[in-house]
Amino acid sequence: MSTTGAAADPLAALGSLPGVTESVESVRKAVDRVYGHRIMRRRSNEITSEAALRAARGSAALSGADWALEEVRRRTDFGVDADARVMGAALRLTAEAGQLLSIWRQSPLRVLARLHLVAAAGGGDEVGRPRHEGEPVEEPLVELPLPDAKEVSGRLDGLADLVIAGSSAPALVTAAVVHGELLALRPFTSYNGLVARAAERVVLIGSGLDPKAVCPAEVGYSELGRAAYLAALDGYVSGTPEGMAAWIAHCGKAVELGARESTAVCEALQRGAA
């Protein structure tokens, strides 16, 4: 998302696009339903833990490692093959996101570097920094044209400036822009999709929209499907008002579905306690 010549608060301008206000309100109602559930008052830590597991499973599925939830629960070997490494990275990122909230608003690029380090869990000097010109990017499921390293650097700086400056825009809008921009740029040599979704998670938690991390958007993206996800991303990359609004709405629907998932978990726990 280019900020050149933009208004003082370009994120707030996105919040006024047709349909975005309705998405924001629908998300707020879905989130409020989860937080208002009686089980949340007594067993919120359990809901948070379960939501994190399901979030990791959903994010990994979008990156090609589509495992059943029970397999994620029982497996401990996350370094054996490519799919296992993706799942392990998703689990680590989901756990790490909540630890980075205090740093995000002051130094978002530092957080992104940390997320990539956590995802990669080792490797060469390409880990934890934006890619250099000519370095290959391993992100086979996103086939959009790849911006060059100079553009990546400039747009990352612009994104960081937006985060540090703050905005009156709803949290959903900020989260969607962070997510979309990182997917469009693919600033690292690997795990960009996982990092983009983890960064969105940081925004949703840190903004206060979902402070207990019980509305995992990753679940919703997985449920809506990879084709819909990539089609919505095309809208973001187009930069048109209609495309941006469609991407934000897609992100909103994913949060709603994540909230619905945790509401179902609350209901199941309530039945078990009855």
Side-chain angles (χ1 to χ4, degrees), residues 19-32:
V20 171
T21 299
E22 291 82 355
S23 292
V24 168
E25 183 61 26
S26 186
V27 166
R28 171 52 64 190
K29 288 178 180 177
V31 172
D32 285 348

Side-chain angles (χ1 to χ4, degrees), residues 30-41:
V31 172
D32 285 348
R33 278 194 293 273
V34 181
Y35 279 85
H37 199 286
R38 59 184 296 184
I39 288 293
M40 277 293 293
R41 292 194 291 271

Side-chain angles (χ1 to χ4, degrees), residues 57-120:
R57 193 216 73 81
S59 190
L62 287 169
S63 288
D66 194 357
W67 291 11
L69 186 61
E70 291 311 312
E71 185 175 5
V72 181
R73 287 189 204 284
R74 69 175 179 79
R75 288 280 289 268
T76 57
D77 52 332
F78 294 112
V80 179
D81 55 37
D83 282 1
R85 288 194 294 274
V86 168
M87 185 60 69
L91 287 164
R92 291 190 299 273
L93 284 171
T94 302
E96 185 74 10
Q99 310 304 313
L100 300 171
L101 305 178
S102 63
I103 306 171
W104 173 252
R105 282 295 300 274
Q106 286 74 42
S107 186
L109 297 185
R110 189 174 146 206
V111 169
L112 294 176
R114 173 62 184 168
L115 290 173
H116 190 241
L117 280 166
V118 168

Side-chain angles (χ1 to χ4, degrees), residues 51 54-56 58-59 62 172 175 179 197 200-201 204 210 213-224 229 250-259 261-262:
R54 295 176 185 227
S59 190
L62 287 169
L172 172 65
H179 182 172
R197 291 183 288 275
E200 179 187 62
R201 183 178 180 84
L204 292 173
D210 182 20
V214 295
C215 303
E218 301 92 334
V219 169
Y221 293 125
S222 179
E223 186 173 332
L224 291 166
Y229 183 67
H250 188 77
C251 294
K253 184 62 176 176
V255 176
E256 288 184 59
L257 290 171
E261 183 94 349
S262 286

Side-chain angles (χ1 to χ4, degrees), residues 83-165:
D83 282 1
R85 288 194 294 274
V86 168
M87 185 60 69
L91 287 164
R92 291 190 299 273
L93 284 171
T94 302
E96 185 74 10
Q99 310 304 313
L100 300 171
L101 305 178
S102 63
I103 306 171
W104 173 252
R105 282 295 300 274
Q106 286 74 42
S107 186
L109 297 185
R110 189 174 146 206
V111 169
L112 294 176
R114 173 62 184 168
L115 290 173
H116 190 241
L117 280 166
V118 168
D125 70 352
E126 77 281 1
V127 174
R129 62 154 174 79
R131 54 186 166 83
H132 294 161
E133 195 61 42
E135 286 184 321
V137 174
E138 185 182 343
E139 198 69 43
L141 301 178
V142 178
E143 299 179 349
L144 294 167
L146 196 65
D148 63 29
K150 183 178 180 180
E151 181 179 353
V152 167
S153 178
R155 286 173 62 176
L156 280 178
D157 286 345
L159 182 64
D161 289 346
L162 285 177
V163 171
I164 293 167

